[in-house]
Structures are given as C-alpha cells and as structure tokens.
Amino acid sequence: MTASRSLADLVETSPALAGPLRGAARAASTEAPILILGESGSGRTTLARALHAASRRAAGPLVEVDVGVVPGTLFESELFGHRPGAFTGAGAARAGRVERAEGGTLLLDHLVGLPQAVQPKLLRLLAERRYVPLGGGEQRADVRFIGIASEELPEMVARGAFRADLYYRLEVVTLRLPPLRERRADLPRLVDALLADLGERLRRPGLSLRPAARAWMLDYDWPGNLRQLRNVLERSAILASGEELDPPPPPDLTAVPAPLAEVERRQILRALAHTRGHQGRAARLLGISRKTLWQKRRRYGIP
C-alpha cells in the first residue's frame, strides 16, 4: 500500500480491517499512545502514517525511527540528541528524533529491538513528556507516540525481555493487523488498488491480471504479506511487455527440505522403477557402481 493512504482508504480496499480499525479514527484524534501489532509487511507503517494524518497533529512532523537499524550504542543519542562535548567526537549539538518530532508524531518501528538500557528513559518520556539530551539539561517534549511491533512483544514482556511498565504505557490503544492469509477475501480489491498505484507510478494505466494469476494468488499464503504481494506485481509489471500481467507463483521458501537419506532412497526407487528393476541400468542412471547400489538398497531396506 502507498504511504499516503487514509484510514477510510484502508477499509475501502480491505473490508477485513473494518473490525481491527473500529475506533481508530477516534483514537487518532486523541493524544493517547497507539501500539500497532502484526507481522512484517502487513501494512503496519501505512496504518501508522494514516493515523498521524487523521490526528490533530497532521500539520506537524511525522518522525520515524527504525529501532532495528540503529546500533544500540548510538540509540540514545539518535533518540534524544546530544550537546557539544557530550562524548568523544561530539563537536556540535545534534537534535534527536524527539526534538525533531516536536508538535507532531514520533513513530517507533520494530520495538522488539529496543535496547534495554534505553527503555527506562523512553518510559519517562512517555509518562512525563520529559527527556535529557546527552550532555544537556532536561527538556519537555510535545510529541505523540505510535509504536510498531511484532506479535511477540507481549511474550517478551512475559519473559522479562521488555519492560512491562513501558509496554503498558504504549498499549493504551492497541491495533492488531491480521496477516494477508487471514484476509483472503480482500485480495481482489488489494490487487486492483496496487495495480492502479503501479500503473500511475510506472505511467502504464490499464495494468490488469490474468485470471490464472488471480486464482493462484487466492490460494497462496503470502508469508511476506502486502509487501510480498506488491513486489510480485511490480516485478511482473516491469518485466511484462503488455498490460496484462501473468506472474508465476513464488517458490515456497517455508517448505522443510527432506532429509538427504530420504531423497537418496526416493531416487533409487525411481531409477529401479524406470529400469523395471534392472540393477545395472539403474546404477548407470544414478552414476554409481552396481556394488554401491546393492549396498544402498540394503541400507534403505529396498528389495
């Protein structure tokens, strides 16, 4: 989905979200923190941006922090900023993400990777709207908080890997985005919306999908969710010479490979079936000697 979607657009293209998003517009208009849970690629960031756009802070900045890509040793400086001389190499003051989000929304993505050393300071920021830049004095913060995490966050709280008090501060309003495999009825609308968006961006209006492609898409589990669906359509649009797209199903990367011994046993059985039990020809097909074939047949219990 595109970054500029509104809450109404999200429900229009995905009716299954009407339940999870019930009351989201009212929550967006408050100052309460919002926690969005769901699998990667399910549209969490798109929803967060739509919530900011529907809030009273829409005219203010939306500052996004991907917790997963900021090194733990730099995270505090990245979030709160620093003053000159705060540490070796800090020659000039640097505004942190909190300061840059003043009057707007601070979006914290991939919360499961939040360093534990920073969690108490983030808790104080949420509870008191106060923070201290490295090497500086205390400051007030006028920001609204939206957090994004996978559904394992509550489990992390249960085992002590994420502060419970911080979690309870963040989950005042919790929205769960279901994965695409739980929203199969939405696929036709989502595909059409994505094709329209791709057609506009690639300057190829009229992009469509062959019926056979639509059929396999309805049966596919989409482990990468909306992001994977968009990538499949975009790749097909770029490679296609016409306007009708016919992408093949993605390989099943979740399938568990069979043990090597089982693969070898199957190949021996196939070779013997092909040669109608002739051991010499079966051995030649397999590229091994008759003696090796005989030994493997004994090992695998093949008569």
Side-chain angles (χ1 to χ4, degrees):
M1 308 300 284
T2 61
S4 59
R5 307 288 289 183
S6 70
L7 291 174
D9 290 336
L10 289 175
V11 174
E12 181 181 348
T13 56
S14 185
L17 292 183
L21 297 187
R22 189 175 293 115
R26 291 194 300 275
S29 66
T30 72
E31 293 294 293
I34 296 178
L35 179 62
I36 303 173
L37 299 179
E39 294 181 6
S40 178
S42 59
R44 300 173 304 178
T45 303
T46 299
L47 173 57
R49 292 168 180 165
L51 288 166
H52 169 73
S55 75
R56 293 194 294 260
R57 295 174 174 266
L62 171 63
V63 177
E64 302 181 22
V65 184
D66 189 337
V67 173
V69 301
V70 180
T73 54
L74 302 177
F75 192 86
E76 188 173 349
S77 173
E78 185 69 26
L79 191 62
F80 301 121
H82 63 258
R83 299 294 178 257
F87 50 84
T88 304
R94 183 175 185 273
R97 302 293 183 97
V98 176
E99 185 176 344
R100 281 181 262 169
E102 187 73 10
T105 302
L106 182 67
L107 170 57
L108 297 168
D109 200 355
H110 297 109
L111 276 171
V112 294
L114 188 67
Q116 288 195 325
V118 180
Q119 291 181 24
K121 297 178 181 180
L122 181 59
L123 173 63
R124 185 180 183 227
L125 179 63
L126 266 76
E128 303 176 13
R129 295 295 194 272
R130 294 178 181 275
Y131 69 101
V132 179
L134 293 179
E138 185 176 84
Q139 293 189 205
R140 289 193 61 83
D142 177 23
V143 294
R144 199 273 180 83
F145 300 92
I146 298 179
I148 293 176
S150 65
E151 294 187 74
E152 68 174 306
L153 185 61
E155 299 172 12
M156 293 179 64
V157 174
R159 65 175 186 266
F162 194 93
R163 287 183 65 116
D165 46 6
L166 175 56
Y167 172 72
Y168 295 130
R169 279 285 178 182
L170 284 166
E171 59 110 39
V172 175
V173 177
T174 301
L175 303 173
R176 177 187 178 268
L177 278 184
L180 196 51
R181 63 183 172 274
E182 295 179 12
R183 301 157 50 191
R184 293 184 192 275
D186 289 342
L187 266 167
R189 291 193 188 196
L190 290 169
V191 167
D192 290 340
L194 289 170
L195 287 174
D197 181 60
L198 286 170
E200 183 178 341
R201 289 200 308 107
L202 299 175
R203 298 181 182 179
R204 291 173 60 190
L207 288 176
S208 63
L209 203 60
R210 287 191 176 179
R214 284 186 181 269
W216 73 251
M217 285 182 175
L218 285 171
D219 291 331
Y220 187 65
D221 273 347
W222 298 106
N225 292 298
L226 284 167
R227 184 181 297 123
Q228 184 186 16
L229 174 60
R230 184 182 183 89
N231 289 346
V232 167
L233 293 173
E234 185 168 13
R235 180 167 55 249
S236 182
I238 291 171
L239 297 177
S241 56
E243 304 307 303
E244 190 177 43
L245 310 183
D246 188 21
D252 184 6
L253 300 179
T254 64
V256 178
L260 186 59
E262 178 60 25
V263 173
E264 189 173 52
R265 183 177 184 277
R266 290 176 191 168
Q267 289 297 93
I268 292 172
L269 287 169
R270 289 179 62 190
L272 289 169
H274 183 76
T275 62
R276 298 186 180 182
H278 192 289
Q279 184 153 304
R281 290 201 298 270
R284 285 195 296 273
L285 275 176
L286 294 167
I288 57 179
S289 68
R290 286 171 57 98
K291 181 179 179 181
T292 300
L293 177 58
W294 176 76
Q295 291 172 334
K296 289 182 180 296
R297 288 177 67 173
R298 285 192 60 188
R299 183 188 310 161
Y300 298 135
I302 299 174

